Amino acid sequence: MEARRETPFGDAQEPFAAPNAGVRRLLRWAREHWLLPILLLAAAVRFYDLTAAAVWGDEGSSLLLAAYPLDGIWRHAAFDVHPPLYFMLLHGWIALFGDGIFAIRSFSAVPGIATVALGMWLVDRLATRRAAVMAGVLLALLPTAVRYSQEVRMYALLGLLLVAATLALVCWIKRPQRRRYLAAYALLLTAALYTHYFAVLAALSHWLYLGLIRLQPGHRLRHIQRRDWWLANLAVAALYLPWLPNLLGLLQHLEALKAGGDVGWEDPVTLSSLPSMIWTWLIQDDGEHLPLPVFCSVPLAVLALGWVAVARDRSVGHGSALLALYTGVPLLLVFAVSFISPMFIERYLTAYALGLPMLAAVAVDRLYAGARVLAVAALVSFAGVEMIGVNANATVDPNDQFSVMVDHVNRHYAAGDRIVTSDMLWYLSYVYYNRTDAQVRLFTPPAADGRPTRPNSYGFGTLVSTDVYLDRLADLPEGSRRVWLIGSLDDPAEFGPLPDGWQRVSEVHAGGAYARLYVRPSADKPGG
């Protein structure tokens, strides 16, 4: 494949920009960039085993929140740790396609695939056709992107919005007289901010990039001083104002969120957490079990590729610096802040991991002119590491899933049975699979000092009515002698001492959880 000559800041073809470009131009761009086979690859790895893993607690919370009407979603999301847009869109998606596991996870798979196309377009604007094709392949295989394209959460949508916003910014920098690009940027960034709070880090990287190209020696690009840029950002702020009181309320109640386990549950970071994040993005494993030279090798190789992409960028706009800032600024900033309050979590940063394969593709493209063997080796190595992670994502045993255990309860349930879960995350997952008429209860025993352990009014607790909570097993209403206890295999004593006379008659476990069926001595005795 012949590479198109790289021109100052992306004189690449613009397949969708001009209103009169027409279908032929779009098809020609797609054919030249191998768009169809690359998107088929992206779809294959995202839809493969899409329904194999059971819905877990966070996904269950998405479904509970999306079940509310739109005004209810807005109200409840104000007490959650995520803004409302994803849940509103999921609400509409479910109304159209239903709440089957394939349908609800497709709502993440489709944006994940679309992001690959937008990433190719972005690299095509910043470098060459060859770099765009390589970026497409590496984006299609990026394990962290594949993983979160298979979950009922907002991270795939966030990646789509941020890559699209970055693309709109690049198009505007090239042609600042076309204000529609800046209008698109403002709308996309606003949508991203309504999807996840970490979207603000993308805005920060964009500002830093415009400051960099303004201060660069030689030809300076003064876009950061343009009135249109400031007006676009004021528009973003104005559009976000309706949500701002809710965000400030969340910040004021951080302690309540920490008490409920919705923030601050992550382990403290160490110096090794930074390279571990790179490993996690690429192979879905933190790599800390590896020998030190191997553990350091891949993060250092990624850093070297980023340096090559930026150092060899001779374009006026230095678009490679934009990609480096897009990934590097959020990664380093969240890592640093996590020494104060841990939040260095893969899924929160997956949207920014998308910059890695784009940077790698640009670096390989620039190496190719003078060191073809090294360039090919770097490309094959990067793709090979990604394949390890893709394989890890695909290694799911459908017979050892939480849903298998719930299905057992559904099939053996008798009218009047009681069902009690030990943990909020088990509860959120269980209610999705529950096919009985029982009200699933959540066990919330008082702490040793008598303090209540019921969730507070922030985080997941806002999605659960108070009649779901059960402080003592002896408080279960009478009317049935059978009780199903749903808990974790890692903590078999989490329900504490059982009431006198309870007898276990069956047990099944799957997906790290158990379902134990107990028979009470008599439904007539008080507390029995």
Side-chain angles (χ1 to χ4, degrees), residues 151-358:
E151 286 202 0
V152 192
R153 296 297 277 170
M154 67 290 298
Y155 307 109
L157 176 63
L158 179 66
L160 174 69
L161 292 171
L162 292 182
V163 171
T166 304
L167 174 60
L169 176 67
V170 167
C171 291
W172 173 72
I173 292 173
K174 175 176 167 51
R175 298 181 179 178
Q177 70 278 11
R178 295 193 174 180
R179 296 178 180 175
R180 65 173 181 267
Y181 294 134
L182 207 50
Y185 173 83
L187 292 175
L188 289 164
L189 184 59
T190 301
L193 289 167
Y194 273 102
T195 301
H196 198 280
Y197 294 119
F198 275 25
V200 70
L201 300 175
L204 175 61
S205 69
H206 295 158
W207 275 90
L208 290 174
Y209 170 68
L210 291 181
L212 175 68
I213 60 176
R214 171 64 181 87
L215 298 176
Q216 67 180 330
H219 187 75
R220 298 181 180 182
L221 301 178
R222 304 176 185 272
H223 294 73
I224 198 171
Q225 298 173 236
R226 293 182 67 94
R227 178 172 173 267
D228 291 351
W229 171 249
W230 287 86
L231 288 176
N233 281 272
L234 285 174
V236 172
L239 290 170
Y240 200 68
L241 277 178
W243 188 252
L244 189 59
N246 297 325
L247 172 58
L248 295 177
L250 279 175
L251 295 176
Q252 292 173 357
H253 291 86
L254 278 177
E255 290 304 318
L257 287 165
K258 290 179 180 179
D262 294 288
V263 297
W265 49 264
E266 182 73 1
D267 293 334
V269 296
T270 65
L271 292 178
S272 67
S273 298
L274 187 59
S276 286
M277 182 62 75
I278 305 298
W279 278 105
T280 301
W281 282 348
L282 294 176
I283 69 167
Q284 295 297 280
D285 185 281
D286 62 17
E288 295 195 5
H289 60 284
L290 298 170
L292 184 61
V294 178
F295 178 68
C296 295
S297 62
V298 167
L300 288 175
V302 168
L303 181 63
L305 286 173
W307 180 85
V308 169
V310 173
R312 296 197 176 191
D313 190 342
R314 300 292 182 263
S315 65
V316 172
H318 292 283
S320 299
L322 173 58
L323 295 177
L325 290 169
Y326 174 84
T327 294
V329 168
L331 180 68
L332 296 175
L333 185 58
V334 176
F335 175 64
V337 171
S338 292
F339 281 96
I340 302 171
S341 179
M343 57 181 70
F344 200 55
I345 304 167
E346 178 199 3
R347 57 184 178 272
Y348 290 178
L349 293 167
T350 286
Y352 299 107
L354 296 167
L356 280 188
M358 291 189 275

Side-chain angles (χ1 to χ4, degrees), residues 392-450:
N393 279 330
T395 307
V396 176
D397 182 358
N399 297 314
D400 187 23
Q401 298 296 316
F402 185 79
S403 54
V404 174
M405 182 269 295
V406 183
D407 182 61
H408 173 86
V409 179
N410 289 337
R411 287 185 285 108
H412 294 86
Y413 174 83
D417 283 3
R418 309 298 180 183
I419 301 173
V420 184
T421 58
S422 65
D423 179 83
M424 174 63 84
L425 291 178
W426 291 135
Y427 171 85
L428 293 169
S429 181
Y430 197 101
V431 294
Y432 174 73
Y433 291 105
N434 182 37
R435 299 296 180 265
T436 73
D437 59 1
Q439 180 190 38
V440 182
R441 306 291 296 273
L442 175 60
F443 189 50
T444 53
D449 59 2

Side-chain angles (χ1 to χ4, degrees), residues 47-54 100-103 105 150 396 398 401 403 433:
F47 280 104
Y48 178 79
D49 265 0
L50 184 65
T51 64
I101 189 169
F102 182 85
R105 285 192 171 151
Q150 296 181 320
V396 176
Q401 298 296 316
S403 54
Y433 291 105

Side-chain angles (χ1 to χ4, degrees), residues 4-12 125-128 174 315-316:
R4 188 193 60 249
R5 182 177 62 88
E6 183 175 1
T7 52
F9 201 61
D11 278 336
R125 301 292 293 152
L126 299 177
T128 69
K174 175 176 167 51
S315 65
V316 172

